[in-house]
Amino acid sequence: MKGRCRPQPLREQALRAFREFDELNVEEVPVMAMLPAVYALRHNVSAYDVMYVVLARAAQCSLLTLDARVAASAPDCALLP
């Protein structure tokens, strides 16, 4: 497959997926102001997971997670099902 172009249907599916994602009107959240809070929690869980914790706190909502470490690090907002 090296050096070959993707079949046209896959390209069309990808473009359709991009359009559909754009139609979801996903809200982008600036994270720069949240980085100090992320840094403060760096020893508890991964930075990737901490971003969700910090975002949940900023939005004053619960974070549903299957990760017990995340839930234990943020008992004020993280919930296990």
Side-chain angles (χ1 to χ4, degrees):
M1 187 108 165
K2 191 173 184 179
R4 293 178 61 192
C5 293
R6 289 260 181 224
Q8 189 65 21
L10 291 180
R11 182 179 182 280
E12 291 170 6
Q13 288 174 341
L15 293 175
R16 186 181 76 232
F18 297 149
R19 284 191 303 273
E20 289 174 1
F21 181 77
D22 187 48
E23 291 170 5
L24 292 175
N25 294 318
V26 173
E27 180 182 349
E28 295 180 42
V29 178
V31 297
M32 290 303 293
M34 298 180 193
L35 292 181
V38 171
Y39 184 76
L41 296 173
R42 71 190 182 280
H43 298 297
N44 299 338
V45 291
S46 72
Y48 177 84
D49 290 332
V50 170
M51 284 301 303
Y52 286 104
V53 170
V54 171
L55 181 59
R57 287 176 177 163
Q60 298 179 343
C61 66
S62 297
L63 172 65
L64 184 61
T65 180
L66 295 175
D67 189 324
R69 288 185 66 199
V70 172
S73 72
D76 59 310
C77 67
L79 303 172
L80 288 168

